[in-house]
Amino acid sequence: IDSGSRSLCAGDALARAFAVSGDERYAAAFWLGLADWMERNPPNRGPAWMDGQECALRLTAVCFAAAWLGVSAEPERAARL
């Protein structure tokens, strides 16, 4: 998942694929991508946090993805969100 809006589409697609198939590979790819994005974009620093609307859209997408991936989430992952 990259630092731009494409990340929203990729994460959403992976979460939906997991919800439909139950294939843990989709969930693993989502969580790895999100962890990478979070590492490269610490809260309140950098261009990913400059626009409130972009932050709101990203948060909404991550919340929906987390809901779809709920059965796949480990407690530590849920806590990071």
Side-chain angles (χ1 to χ4, degrees):
I1 298 177
D2 64 26
S3 62
S5 60
R6 289 184 307 254
S7 63
L8 298 176
C9 296
D12 181 58
L14 290 168
R16 285 185 288 128
F18 172 77
V20 170
S21 70
D23 188 336
E24 285 288 334
R25 292 177 295 176
Y26 294 117
F30 171 83
W31 291 118
L32 284 172
L34 182 61
D36 179 62
W37 185 91
M38 291 172 68
E39 184 178 312
R40 290 186 293 121
N41 297 280
N44 303 315
R45 289 191 275 163
W49 298 97
M50 295 178 99
D51 179 13
Q53 184 176 6
E54 182 68 26
C55 291
L57 290 171
R58 188 176 300 113
L59 178 61
T60 301
V62 169
C63 287
F64 276 110
W68 288 325
L69 293 165
V71 296
S72 173
E74 298 169 7
E76 64 209 32
R77 287 178 175 158
R80 284 192 74 191
L81 291 179

